[in-house]
Amino acid sequence: MYTFLKKDILVLFRDRTELAVLLAMPFILIAILGFALSGLLSGNSEVLSMDVAIVQEDNEQLGLEQFAEELNGSGIPAEARSRIMAAAQETSPSSILQGILTDESLRELVTAQEMDTAAAAEALEEEEVVAILTIPENFTLNALQKMLMDTGGGAELELMIADHAATQSEVFTDILEEFVWSLNFESAIAQAANGEAPAPEETSVQFGGVESVSAVQPISSFQYYTIGMAVMFALFVGATISGIAFVEKQQFVLNRILLSDQHPFVYLGAKAISAATVTFLQFCILFFFSSLLFGAFDLTNWSFWPGMLLIGFTLAICVGALAAFLTALTMRFNNDSITTVFAGGVVTIFAFLGGSFTPTEGMPDSIQKLGGWTPNGASLNAFLIWLQNLEIVLLWEPLSRVLLLTIVLLILSLLIFPRKGEA
Amino acid sequence: MLETEELKKVFKGKTAVEGASLYLDKGESVGLLGPNGAGKSTTISMISTLLKPTSGDVRLNGKSIIKNPSEMRRILGVVPQEIALYGELTAYENLKFFGRIYGLSGKALEGAIQRSLELVGLAERQKEIVKTYSGGMKRRINIAAAMMHEPEIIIMDEPTVGIDPQSRSHILEMVRQLNHEKGLTVLYTSHYMEEVERLCDRVYIMDHGKIIASGTKEELKSILSSEETVWIELDRPYPAFFKDLQSFKVIKQAVETEKGIKLILPKGSRILGEVFQASERHQVEIINVNVQKPSLEDVFLHLTGRKLRD
């Protein structure tokens, strides 16, 4: 295998045209798209940053006192009362909401200003704020009653959003929905635990995953397109290796290899390994130089690179299987137009579906689903999850898709590739 | 040593080879002649285990190689008509790759590379990229690659196509040496009759997928022992004159080339007078007329009705 691998890499690296396609072209596209679309995908949150007005009609301290009075008159045993009161002070919804809106991770995204009702309405009118969040009178009392004693009708927040900033408004709504969900979740736990509130650490974890778009860990346009182009041009490696295989057949080199009594599957396996190795090298080169030239990634962040390389390695294996599949088809039909069509058309379609040119989030669900099942699209999702510093467990879904595609392609390759005497 | 028995190959209903039976004794040099499309390459592919015959058998030392080709592959070297090399690699890298896939390594591999390069006279230029070589040099490395594992039998399919006379002469001398001095068994196909006449002990002639004649050069020439060849040299082709000659009943075969016309006719035929009369009728300038004994090429023409390079 090593002999074949060394030979394939030598042949590829001496072909300047192929090298230009596999290495130079992605850099050119990263530069063009990175600069041209930096506004759209900017990770500094300028586009998504928003000012919101907070109208505070609730008096938290008074609410807590009223809740304590009500609790004392409820006939609940003293020990339970003190536990509930402690929970009320720890999970006071008004404090938690304030905490979220001034949280470190949201500071760049949301600027909350406390205003009175009239000033807030004017600010919304003047498009100075994208939303007005009103915390109504007795919010604390009503919320605690519902959360900890399961009495009353609960509390409601009032949100007024602007028409002029749909995306920002949507993001802010998401933040509040996450807050409400977390609060309800906690109150359910608190009630189940008979008034014992969850530990503060858990609370902050709940609020840590507030937004998933670009608020958690912003992605710059150069980061996005480095990954987007890397996963797209990885597919070209599959076509290139398959193209080399066809030339080997045309020039009777394959016959020479078979005459040395090598099993045809050894040859096919060697093609897969060559493609996987070249793809992985391509990733390393693209990531390294994109970091160096465009500052896409921090080269000294040692905890960041293992994840990137793992995802790259998984896609590289899939590209190896893809190269084997294309080689098998080319050999079976003795025609390299399959490879030509793949490189000339299918890769572009896959790149579009997979989000290499533009994020698929705004596209129809069907396209997003299809894209998620392309090797490049699934890998791109995995890279984004890793870049956004989301939970590692989320990587499993896209990576398992890539592995599944790998297995399917390998099985098909073995079934299609001509056996002895047929090649 | 090697024999084929009634080999047949059918591709999509079309018979490419039918009933091809031939044999090669150890150390023998055998020519396989035939025009394009005669079935030579298909026969060679079946003998070299690259193609399974539709029917028939190939035996090496009495054992069939159809189901167990490994033994044959171990002792067989094939020089294809195409330059089966990696143009982007150097000659050295090419030979190293082909040596490795035959299981050679270390000193044995290095020794085989240098020996093969010496054989084809390219040791000095082994570090150059193959695609920068001349056609003749590529052909020589093509042969070197087939010699890496020291085969006992070598099949050469038109190894001198499209190269300069110097490289051609070098290759022919090399093949002669391998056969005479190292005892290599050679199966040689060529469009150049003089190559086969120079190198081969015996010849098989194929046409339309069948072996139509075989034997030593002398045996084949005796097919035309009762004929003679008349070569009429002309300054240019004269189609009407040629057509007129073809109508002579005594002429068995007539072939027109750019330089003249070749006629095969029974020994002692008195035809020259009529030929000159026809030349006057067509205002043809005859430069020279030569009556020869039939060559192997004439035998080929007689048997197939075609020139070898048709």
Side-chain angles (χ1 to χ4, degrees), chain B residues 174-193:
Chain B
M174 186 177 65
V175 177
R176 197 196 63 76
Q177 270 182 19
L178 287 170
N179 177 234
H180 286 207
E181 295 171 18
K182 299 197 173 177
L184 202 69
T185 306
V186 179
L187 179 58
Y188 194 96
T189 81
S190 176
H191 274 152
Y192 298 103
M193 188 62 77

Side-chain angles (χ1 to χ4, degrees), chain A residues 2 40 128 132 178 266 268 278 280 288 291 296 316 323-324 342 355 359 408 418:
Chain A
Y2 172 72
L40 273 179
E128 289 167 6
I132 301 171
E178 186 71 19
V266 171
L268 189 67
V278 171
F280 192 70
F288 179 76
S291 302
F342 180 81
V408 170

Side-chain angles (χ1 to χ4, degrees), chain B residues 78-285:
Chain B
V78 176
V79 181
Q81 203 177 118
E82 297 74 15
I83 306 294
L85 300 167
Y86 293 100
E88 292 80 9
L89 305 188
T90 65
Y92 178 86
E93 287 164 345
N94 265 288
L95 296 184
K96 192 171 184 179
F97 170 71
F98 290 116
R100 276 194 185 279
I101 61 173
Y102 271 101
L104 298 173
S105 61
K107 284 182 181 172
L109 175 62
E110 193 59 34
I113 294 171
Q114 295 310 325
R115 190 185 59 245
S116 300
L117 285 166
E118 292 288 343
L119 177 75
V120 298
L122 285 172
E124 300 293 316
R125 306 186 66 172
Q126 58 182 289
K127 298 290 182 188
E128 292 176 28
I129 301 284
V130 165
K131 69 180 175 190
T132 65
Y133 280 4
S134 69
M137 289 162 72
K138 285 177 187 167
R139 291 252 164 232
R140 281 145 73 182
I141 291 294
N142 209 26
I143 294 171
M147 296 299 298
M148 281 294 291
H149 60 298
E150 294 190 87
E152 292 174 27
I153 303 171
I154 190 155
I155 296 177
M156 303 181 119
D157 190 4
E158 315 243 6
T160 60
V161 168
I163 59 172
D164 57 282
Q166 196 185 347
S167 289
R168 192 171 159 213
S169 176
H170 189 285
I171 288 174
L172 293 180
E173 181 54 27
M174 186 177 65
V175 177
R176 197 196 63 76
Q177 270 182 19
L178 287 170
N179 177 234
H180 286 207
E181 295 171 18
K182 299 197 173 177
L184 202 69
T185 306
V186 179
L187 179 58
Y188 194 96
T189 81
S190 176
H191 274 152
Y192 298 103
M193 188 62 77
E194 62 272 23
E195 289 183 3
V196 175
E197 288 210 63
R198 179 173 160 185
L199 293 174
C200 302
D201 307 315
R202 288 190 302 115
V203 178
Y204 288 90
I205 297 177
M206 282 192 87
D207 195 24
H208 299 299
K210 293 177 181 174
I211 292 176
I212 55 172
S214 65
T216 62
K217 287 175 275 189
E218 289 68 31
E219 284 169 344
L220 287 174
K221 283 178 187 174
S222 71
I223 293 172
L224 292 181
S225 59
S226 58
E227 272 86 21
E228 61 190 7
T229 304
V230 175
W231 167 244
I232 304 164
E233 192 179 345
L234 306 171
D235 61 334
R236 64 180 175 83
Y238 292 91
F241 175 55
F242 177 65
K243 201 173 178 185
D244 201 356
L245 294 183
Q246 278 183 311
S247 66
F248 292 9
K249 285 185 180 171
V250 73
I251 293 173
K252 288 188 168 181
Q253 299 277 356
V255 179
E256 188 182 32
T257 69
E258 283 184 9
K259 292 180 180 174
I261 294 169
K262 181 179 269 192
L263 307 173
I264 296 174
L265 59 166
K267 251 181 188 172
S269 302
R270 294 176 181 277
I271 196 175
L272 288 180
E274 290 176 60
V275 169
F276 281 112
Q277 283 173 9
S279 72
E280 280 178 23
R281 277 201 303 279
H282 295 283
Q283 295 181 319
V284 172
E285 189 182 337

Side-chain angles (χ1 to χ4, degrees), chain A residues 7 14 248 256 259 261-262, chain B residues 48 70 84 86 93 101 142:
Chain A
K7 179 264 301 171
R14 292 214 178 127
E248 283 176 337
R256 202 160 239 172
L259 280 170
D261 216 20
Q262 299 285 342
Chain B
S48 57
S70 295
Y86 293 100
E93 287 164 345
I101 61 173
N142 209 26

Side-chain angles (χ1 to χ4, degrees), chain A residues 75-117:
Chain A
I76 295 172
E79 194 183 336
R81 282 207 312 269
S82 73
R83 275 208 308 270
I84 292 171
M85 200 55 219
Q89 279 162 346
E90 276 182 13
T91 59
S92 170
S94 194
S95 294
I96 292 171
L97 183 58
Q98 292 283 356
I100 288 173
L101 295 177
T102 54
D103 187 80
E104 183 77 24
S105 62
L106 283 181
R107 195 170 291 162
E108 285 187 9
L109 194 67
V110 179
T111 307
Q113 304 170 54
E114 206 166 311
M115 300 180 184
D116 60 34
T117 310

Side-chain angles (χ1 to χ4, degrees), chain A residues 78-288:
Chain A
E79 194 183 336
R81 282 207 312 269
S82 73
R83 275 208 308 270
I84 292 171
M85 200 55 219
Q89 279 162 346
E90 276 182 13
T91 59
S92 170
S94 194
S95 294
I96 292 171
L97 183 58
Q98 292 283 356
I100 288 173
L101 295 177
T102 54
D103 187 80
E104 183 77 24
S105 62
L106 283 181
R107 195 170 291 162
E108 285 187 9
L109 194 67
V110 179
T111 307
Q113 304 170 54
E114 206 166 311
M115 300 180 184
D116 60 34
T117 310
E122 193 182 331
L124 189 68
E125 184 77 17
E126 297 296 321
E127 299 186 0
E128 289 167 6
V129 296
V130 298
I132 301 171
L133 174 66
T134 304
I135 304 172
E137 202 176 348
N138 293 330
F139 175 76
T140 301
L141 175 64
N142 293 341
L144 291 175
Q145 281 175 337
K146 184 70 182 171
M147 281 169 64
L148 299 174
M149 297 176 70
D150 200 20
T151 59
E156 280 183 2
L157 288 168
E158 291 168 15
L159 180 65
M160 187 179 290
I161 55 174
D163 294 332
H164 66 265
T167 309
Q168 286 98 326
S169 305
E170 194 177 324
V171 171
F172 189 62
T173 309
D174 284 349
I175 294 170
L176 290 181
E177 280 175 359
E178 186 71 19
F179 160 75
V180 172
W181 180 87
S182 302
L183 212 57
N184 290 340
F185 179 71
E186 278 182 40
S187 70
I189 291 175
Q191 284 171 14
N194 195 17
E196 286 184 17
E201 290 78 16
E202 290 175 30
T203 305
S204 65
V205 169
Q206 291 300 327
F207 292 132
V210 168
E211 239 307 296
S212 61
V213 186
S214 55
V216 173
Q217 186 73 39
I219 293 172
S220 74
S221 57
F222 281 112
Q223 286 176 328
Y224 189 86
Y225 285 115
T226 298
I227 297 165
M229 292 302 113
V231 297
M232 174 183 166
F233 279 83
L235 301 180
F236 282 119
V237 176
T240 300
I241 294 291
S242 156
I244 290 175
F246 186 70
V247 172
E248 283 176 337
K249 184 173 185 186
Q250 290 295 96
Q251 294 182 345
F252 289 78
V253 177
L254 176 60
N255 277 352
R256 202 160 239 172
I257 292 168
L258 295 176
L259 280 170
S260 69
D261 216 20
Q262 299 285 342
H263 194 283
F265 285 172
V266 171
Y267 174 78
L268 189 67
K271 287 288 161 224
I273 290 174
S274 296
T277 308
V278 171
T279 305
F280 192 70
L281 286 174
Q282 186 193 37
F283 275 136
C284 293
I285 292 167
L286 282 180
F287 289 162
F288 179 76

